[in-house]
Amino acid sequence: MTKDNNTAKDRAANALWGGRFDGAPSSIMEAINASIGVDKRMAAQDLAGSTAHAAMLAAQGIISKDDEAAIQRGLKEIGKEIRDDRFTFSTALEDIHMNIEARLAELIGEAAGRLHTARSRNDQVATDLRLWLRDALGDIDALIISFQKTLLGLAEAEAETIMPGFTHLQSAQPVSFGHHMLAYVEMMGRDRGRFADARKRLNENPLGAAALAGTAYPIDRYMTAKALGFDAPMANSLDAVSSRDFALEFLGAASICAVHLSRLAEELVIWTSAGFAFVSLSDQFSTGSSIMPQKRNPDAAELVRAKSGRIVGDLNTLLMVMKGLPLAYSKDMQEDKEPVFDAYDALCLSLSAMTGMMADLGINRDALAAAAGVAYSTATDLADWLVREADVPFREAHHITGQIVKLAEGKGLTLSELSLADMQAVSPKLDETVFSVLTPAASAASRISYGGTAPDNVKTQVKLWKEKLS
């Protein structure tokens, strides 16, 4: 494990910033001021930024080549120490930037003090967080693709499986189970687009903006931007150090994605209940009860549903932190990383859990088929038949169908169980061919409009999505 230390030696380390101060901060000040417990997660990004900055300073003649070589050697050693869990993190040194700089001084001496030339912790932290988020967005994109591919597998296998479609959680019209899965594939596709857009806007380099006004040194910000994979340096030094809209945009996209996952999680909770029994989850994604031995609870789905609230809360946290801040940097902004990291962790776990559950899902096709035919789900098909085959205006067809549904309900029959004579008593325009549209499978197969639930449509969309994700 990496170590956290808080010795008298560490307290004296405020010499990194404390020329203006005679004494050490109180333990309470130290506790509220320190962020190393959170931002040590950005160690790799901080080292990358320092590596690029040192190379640029040497290229511009601001530090010597010998000092740069010593700095680069020290940074590599620190990176190895961190990877090997041999690095001592100190709360007295506040944050990842000062922890690394202090260790660099121990390793290489005076040359370490030249690394901070022409930069500030303000532009450092903005750079680190952008670099970290850029990597995180790549992780999330890969997880979403994996989830989409799992959903596509279900959509392909269950294209012909008919289930009830719902509005207001009431049975509405029969749909393909595969079509239902494709709805979430589409949602996840838009989520990927939002994350990709966020990545484009965050990929600008704040490094070199220094504290807020830029620097008098002849730095080359394009060089550091290129070295760190940014598209360009940020054009305004105030904006570079004080903006966190890139983090807010990530949290916004994460919140929408989490809500999408939560909706499917809620459906799994409903569908696995005894009253529905549409699907089942194996022991891998279920838990039992401490008192009721018969229980199989969809706890993974419930926790995904709960984590969406946590992620939305992270968005609101950072919005509230930023809403009243004047330019440029304020210490409030130290609170930006915890909600970002928390949302990332929660979203990655939620995506992994949903992918696992959907891959594990057992489909009860008989229960789905039975439910697809209840509550007069083919009533719209009857109305459409009257419009298409008997040239009845839709509003009149709607009224006729309502009367027939009422008749069937009174007799305790489904629409397909009514006799032709019963239906013709309501409208003589009906003939025996109407029965061809009154089954759930026929209803679903007839929805051939673009984006409709017809199984052939589903198969076409599965093929197109496979090509997109290949």
Side-chain angles (χ1 to χ4, degrees), residues 92-169:
L93 291 168
E94 295 186 23
D95 56 32
I96 188 60
H97 324 299
M98 290 175 67
N99 268 265
I100 287 176
E101 187 172 334
R103 179 58 179 151
L104 187 65
E106 291 176 350
L107 289 172
I108 68 171
E110 183 180 271
R114 303 190 187 283
L115 176 59
H116 208 55
T117 306
R119 74 176 186 184
S120 161
R121 283 191 295 173
N122 295 356
D123 60 341
Q124 262 189 284
V125 69
T127 302
D128 288 2
L129 187 54
R130 285 173 184 266
L131 289 172
W132 187 92
L133 253 182
R134 195 175 67 189
D135 293 340
L137 288 170
D139 297 339
I140 290 170
D141 190 63
L143 287 171
I144 292 176
I145 290 173
S146 179
F147 181 44
Q148 286 181 297
K149 287 180 176 179
T150 299
L151 292 173
L152 282 176
L154 268 174
E156 185 172 38
E158 307 299 334
E160 310 257 1
T161 300
I162 305 303
M163 65 174 289
F166 297 95
T167 61
H168 310 279
L169 205 55

Side-chain angles (χ1 to χ4, degrees), residues 233-374:
M234 295 186 73
N236 184 285
S237 59
L238 283 168
D239 180 46
V241 299
S242 61
S243 64
R244 291 297 184 272
D245 53 355
F246 66 95
L248 289 168
E249 190 169 6
F250 161 72
L251 290 170
S255 295
I256 296 170
C257 184
V259 167
H260 287 156
L261 295 176
S262 182
R263 295 183 73 180
L264 180 54
E266 169 69 1
E267 292 189 318
L268 290 183
V269 171
I270 293 170
W271 292 352
T272 55
S273 68
F276 279 76
F278 287 176
V279 299
S280 61
L281 291 168
S282 76
D283 294 352
Q284 287 188 301
F285 290 95
S286 304
T287 64
S289 166
S290 63
I291 190 172
M292 294 172 285
Q294 83 280 10
K295 292 294 293 297
R296 180 187 290 276
N297 300 322
D299 282 5
E302 291 172 1
L303 288 166
V304 169
R305 187 174 60 185
K307 286 185 183 297
S308 66
R310 182 170 180 163
I311 294 168
V312 172
D314 290 326
L315 169 61
N316 285 327
T317 294
L318 189 52
L319 283 168
M320 293 304 100
V321 167
M322 297 302 298
K323 72 173 183 63
L325 298 187
L327 300 182
Y329 184 85
S330 297
K331 194 68 169 183
D332 312 51
M333 292 164 68
Q334 182 169 286
E335 295 293 314
D336 60 354
K337 289 166 285 297
E338 197 161 4
V340 167
F341 295 162
D342 183 72
Y344 166 80
D345 290 342
L347 184 60
C348 287
L349 184 55
S350 295
L351 282 164
S352 297
M354 289 304 303
T355 301
M357 280 186 283
M358 299 314 287
D360 179 69
L361 207 63
I363 311 298
N364 187 344
R365 297 178 184 87
D366 290 339
L368 288 166
V374 304

Side-chain angles (χ1 to χ4, degrees), residues 160-201:
E160 310 257 1
T161 300
I162 305 303
M163 65 174 289
F166 297 95
T167 61
H168 310 279
L169 205 55
Q170 304 295 312
S171 292
Q173 291 177 293
V175 298
S176 157
F177 189 91
H179 189 63
H180 199 109
M181 294 299 100
L182 284 176
Y184 287 101
V185 174
E186 294 285 343
M187 291 182 208
M188 290 294 122
R190 293 192 296 275
D191 287 327
R192 286 189 68 207
R194 273 182 282 271
F195 286 122
D197 286 344
R199 188 190 188 284
K200 289 176 187 175
R201 274 182 285 279

